[in-house]
Amino acid sequence: MAIQTFAAIDVGSFEVELGIYEISNKYGIRSIDHVRHVIALGKDTYSHGKISYELVEELCQVLKGFSGIMKSYKVTSYKAYATSALRDAKNNQIILDQILVRTGIDVKLISNSEQRFLSYKAIASKEQEFNTIIQKGTAIVDVGFGSMQLSLFDKDSLVSTQNLPLGALRIQELISRIPANLETHRQLIEEIVDNELFTFRKMYLKDRNIQNLIGIGDNSLYLFKRALAGDKPVPDKMTAEDVNRFYEVLCQMDLETVEDTFGVGEEYAELMFPGAIIYKRIMEITGAEQFWLPGIRLCDGIVAEYAEQIRQVKFKHDFENDILAASRNMAKRYKCHNAHNQALEQYAMDIFDTMRRYHGMTARDKLLLRIAVQLHACGKFISMKNSNECAYNIIMSTEIIGLSHLEREIIANVVRYNIRDFDYNQVSLEADIYKDAAGQFSANDITIKIAKLTAILRLANSMDRSHQEKLAGCKAVIRDGQLVITTDYPGDIALEQMSFNQKADFFEEIFGIRPVLKQKRRI
């Protein structure tokens, strides 16, 4: 494929950014131009819940200008994503419609987990350093304007990721309502940050040795680098001493000095203090020795994802495995039966692959099924009697990095209907029309997908009814209009057979294929 010109647009909480890139097999991804416009959408959202007409007008003008820049570069494809400020605004659908009508740019709202996953992919595009660093205990610290994400790695596998309400703009808006001098405001910020990080440390850092931090975000990182570099080349790695030194210097400055020193406006200068405090405190509570600043932004993640989708770039790192690892750690937290889950996953994958010609689902749907298997019993941690409803609430309340809100909703419903009669008219969905990179889907499309995944999960679950993995190594084939599952287990499978027959009716109703469980008799 020839060189393709691509544009990435990030509608953020504090600024709107356009990135122009060239993508090719030979050179990979090459940045051509970046344009940023400061517009504090988050101030309205975090203070009033809605974005004002004046800011919508300004946003449309900026995006219209971006459209002209894209035409001048002869951009062939683009992706435009909006994050927390627009995502959390009550009038976001009206705003998205105004943007499309007035600028021709189709902006998609992405969940927090999708946003952080994009940034994570951009870091992973720097493969040599990334893969070396995460061999040791590592945390990715993504401090944005609206919130902060902390993701923990252990031996190159993602083990946990949590979102905390510690965005620089969100904190600044909160303390600005308190009349006090600059020093008092700094102390208040420290108290807010420490309160959130204390809980995180108690729950997730107890047995973890964090040696490296990877820092990304839109505010302090680039100013960190500018301050520490001076006349020298900009460093991409810092020590704990560097962070402390920067913080001490910053605390001696008033706002005017910050503006002059870093060449930023007043609004940006105010956000320096929350960002610096967050990074400093994370270094202290984790005991990390090194802070890597790869210098990536969300636009870099957007183009990395797109280049992977069109197969112009191939990452060595297994991102799907990270999503599964996060799900398995979530299952571990809620005391799910690991051996049972492993058996179920194998059964479910065999059924999914064998039924491929009949279910019409994608590799992404297969991933959702694997996650549903891992989390199908997490509700028992709260209630043995109403475990499916509790599991639904747990999944809907927990972000899983790399999954959209819709995908999490699909998984939650599959788990809910695993042990509940399926009612096509009662499936809980939060919208009538869904939109993703592949196009539009109606609620009915999603309901059918949930039904298909539920039928497979139910059947797989029945195959380990005794939790003794009796059907390990079984074979599945389609023969004479039936899904024939054959096992050579020599012992008693009466419990599995009874449960299997109970689940067979719903499976046949969904796929038109009757599942049959057969046991080979040894002589």
Side-chain angles (χ1 to χ4, degrees):
M1 181 184 286
I3 294 175
Q4 181 174 345
T5 308
F6 176 81
I9 297 174
D10 169 21
V11 182
S13 300
F14 189 72
E15 61 185 15
V16 186
E17 180 180 359
L18 168 68
I20 304 293
Y21 302 86
E22 284 185 350
I23 306 171
S24 65
N25 276 322
K26 186 174 182 180
Y27 300 107
I29 300 169
R30 190 164 71 95
S31 177
I32 302 298
D33 196 5
H34 272 82
V35 181
R36 300 185 186 99
H37 178 88
V38 174
I39 174 172
L41 300 176
K43 278 193 173 183
D44 277 8
T45 300
Y46 307 143
S47 299
H48 311 296
K50 291 184 178 181
I51 297 175
S52 67
Y53 174 78
E54 289 76 17
L55 282 182
V56 173
E57 178 70 25
E58 182 182 352
L59 176 60
C60 287
Q61 290 300 319
V62 172
L63 291 175
K64 194 171 183 180
F66 283 3
S67 181
I69 295 171
M70 289 159 62
K71 288 177 183 176
S72 70
Y73 276 104
K74 296 182 171 56
V75 167
T76 54
S77 298
Y78 78 92
K79 295 284 184 184
Y81 293 151
T83 56
S84 62
L86 199 50
R87 182 175 65 236
D88 296 343
K90 295 176 183 176
N91 57 339
N92 55 27
Q93 294 303 316
I94 296 296
I95 296 171
L96 292 177
D97 181 69
Q98 282 289 302
I99 291 171
L100 181 59
V101 170
R102 295 171 62 178
T103 72
I105 295 176
D106 188 5
V107 178
K108 177 191 173 188
L109 295 176
I110 57 172
S111 68
N112 177 71
S113 57
E114 288 175 295
Q115 173 189 342
R116 309 303 179 173
F117 200 58
L118 287 171
S119 297
Y120 169 33
K121 279 193 172 182
I123 303 170
S125 66
K126 300 177 181 291
E127 288 184 331
Q128 187 170 355
E129 284 189 279
F130 176 72
N131 290 332
T132 300
I133 284 177
I134 63 174
Q135 295 303 313
K136 299 179 180 179
T138 300
I140 295 180
V141 187
D142 185 355
V143 180
F145 295 110
S147 64
M148 178 187 80
Q149 194 84 9
L150 264 172
S151 303
L152 304 178
F153 282 82
D154 186 13
K155 295 179 182 177
D156 81 3
S157 179
L158 180 68
V159 294
S160 179
T161 181
Q162 293 295 319
N163 185 254
L164 286 72
L166 291 178
L169 180 59
R170 193 185 294 268
I171 292 174
Q172 185 60 34
E173 280 299 295
L174 180 62
I175 67 164
S176 65
R177 304 169 194 170
I178 303 172
N181 60 31
L182 194 59
E183 180 59 32
T184 303
H185 274 176
R186 288 174 188 158
Q187 293 174 0
L188 292 172
I189 293 171
E190 289 186 2
E191 291 177 10
I192 293 170
V193 171
D194 284 353
N195 179 54
E196 294 290 342
L197 292 182
F198 174 80
T199 304
F200 179 85
R201 177 175 60 184
K202 189 174 181 180
M203 294 183 66
Y204 300 102
L205 293 179
K206 186 178 179 181
D207 301 317
R208 304 220 172 270
N209 178 26
I210 304 297
Q211 296 185 38
N212 301 307
L213 293 186
I214 302 176
I216 55 179
D218 299 323
N219 42 31
S220 297
L221 288 177
Y222 309 98
L223 304 176
F224 263 144
K225 294 169 75 171
R226 185 185 302 178
L228 292 169
D231 297 328
K232 301 175 184 178
V234 176
D236 64 355
K237 291 185 176 66
M238 301 165 58
T239 64
E241 290 76 18
D242 290 331
V243 175
N244 286 328
R245 178 160 52 89
F246 173 83
Y247 181 71
E248 288 171 5
V249 171
L250 188 65
C251 285
Q252 303 303 316
M253 299 180 183
D254 57 22
L255 283 178
E256 288 185 5
T257 307
V258 172
E259 292 175 43
D260 294 339
T261 302
F262 299 104
V264 296
E266 181 181 351
E267 286 186 322
Y268 218 127
E270 289 179 341
L271 303 182
M272 287 285 291
F273 299 108
I277 290 170
I278 291 169
Y279 293 121
K280 175 180 177 291
R281 293 298 293 129
I282 290 174
M283 289 290 287
E284 290 172 351
I285 70 165
T286 60
E289 302 165 1
Q290 179 178 263
F291 200 1
W292 179 37
L293 304 171
I296 64 95
R297 300 170 73 88
L298 184 60
C299 284
D300 300 319
I302 296 172
V303 68
E305 179 192 57
Y306 178 76
E308 183 186 30
Q309 287 174 349
I310 63 172
R311 299 182 180 179
Q312 292 287 74
V313 171
K314 186 175 182 180
F315 295 110
K316 294 179 182 177
H317 189 78
D318 190 344
F319 295 104
E320 185 172 295
N321 186 61
D322 287 325
I323 300 173
L324 287 168
S327 304
R328 290 182 180 124
N329 276 282
M330 183 175 164
K332 183 179 179 181
R333 189 189 321 156
Y334 291 104
K335 310 300 181 185
C336 296
H337 188 172
N338 183 52
H340 174 62
N341 278 358
Q342 288 180 353
L344 252 62
E345 185 172 348
Q346 185 58 59
Y347 300 154
M349 295 305 96
D350 288 346
I351 295 169
F352 186 97
D353 292 339
T354 304
M355 292 288 296
R356 191 178 299 278
R357 289 176 53 197
Y358 300 90
H359 58 55
M361 291 187 285
T362 65
R364 187 69 177 183
D365 298 321
K366 186 176 182 178
L367 174 64
L368 301 186
L369 177 60
R370 295 179 74 181
I371 297 170
V373 167
Q374 295 301 320
L375 302 178
H376 78 282
C378 67
K380 291 181 179 179
F381 184 83
I382 297 173
S383 170
M384 298 290 286
K385 182 178 180 182
N386 298 308
S387 62
N388 61 325
E389 295 299 321
C390 293
Y392 174 88
N393 291 324
I394 288 172
I395 296 167
M396 289 304 294
S397 302
T398 308
E399 285 193 332
I400 302 173
I401 194 166
L403 298 185
S404 67
H405 180 85
L406 171 59
E407 289 175 325
R408 204 164 76 246
E409 201 168 19
I410 290 171
I411 293 166
N413 275 291
V414 170
V415 169
R416 168 187 266 179
Y417 286 104
N418 178 46
I419 53 173
R420 171 179 165 179
D421 290 341
F422 197 92
D423 188 334
Y424 298 91
N425 299 315
Q426 295 295 321
V427 174
S428 177
L429 297 171
E430 295 183 2
D432 294 324
I433 297 293
Y434 293 93
K435 191 173 186 179
D436 68 5
Q440 286 193 343
F441 301 91
S442 68
N444 186 59
D445 296 330
I446 304 302
T447 299
I448 292 171
K449 180 177 291 188
I450 291 169
K452 290 178 179 179
L453 294 175
T454 301
I456 295 175
L457 176 60
R458 285 186 183 181
L459 197 66
N461 205 3
S462 73
M463 292 166 64
D464 194 36
R465 186 67 179 82
S466 63
H467 285 218
Q468 294 182 23
E469 305 163 51
K470 295 178 180 179
L471 304 189
C474 63
K475 306 295 182 183
V477 295
I478 301 292
R479 185 185 303 133
D480 299 328
Q482 294 180 326
L483 171 65
V484 181
I485 296 175
T486 307
T487 177
D488 57 5
Y489 179 74
D492 185 3
I493 62 167
L495 197 58
E496 281 73 17
Q497 187 74 66
M498 177 191 67
S499 183
F500 189 94
N501 293 339
Q502 289 174 344
K503 303 300 188 294
D505 290 343
F506 182 67
F507 190 93
E508 185 178 20
E509 175 186 326
I510 299 301
F511 297 112
I513 300 289
R514 183 74 183 181
V516 177
L517 177 60
K518 293 186 176 181
Q519 183 180 25
K520 289 182 180 179
R521 295 293 182 183
R522 292 185 179 181
I523 301 175

